[in-house]
Amino acid sequence: IVVEGLGDKWVLQELVPGHFEYSTSLLVIDGEVLDSICIRYEYDRNEYVWPNVEELGTAHCSVSAEHLAAMRTLLCGYSGICNL
C-alpha cells in the first residue's frame, strides 16, 4: 500500500461472504467494555460491495461473552466509542 507499510496501528478487514453483516458498538473506558449493542444487517448479495448492494433489513442481537472477550483484546487502554 505504501513503501513504509502500515505500521502497527491498523486492523485489517477482509471480505467475508454472506448476506449478513454484524456491527457491534462498544462503550469503553480504559479497555473495559461498559455497554454494547449489536445490529445484524441483511443484504441482497452475498458480497457487500457498496454501492452495488441493497439493505433488506436489520435486527438487534446479543453479543456472546466469547466475542466480547475477543473484542476486548483490541481495546486495551482505549476509552471512547468503538464500532467493530
Side-chain angles (χ1 to χ4, degrees), residues 24 26 33 36 38 61-72:
T24 302
L26 306 165
V33 177
S36 65
C38 182
C61 51
S62 61
V63 182
S64 71
E66 180 183 17
H67 286 159
L68 279 176
M71 293 176 200
R72 208 175 287 117

Side-chain angles (χ1 to χ4, degrees), residues 41-58:
Y41 296 91
E42 182 178 4
Y43 298 103
D44 67 335
R45 299 186 185 224
N46 201 39
E47 287 87 20
Y48 181 96
V49 179
W50 188 86
N52 302 318
V53 67
E54 182 179 334
E55 185 179 298
L56 300 177
T58 61

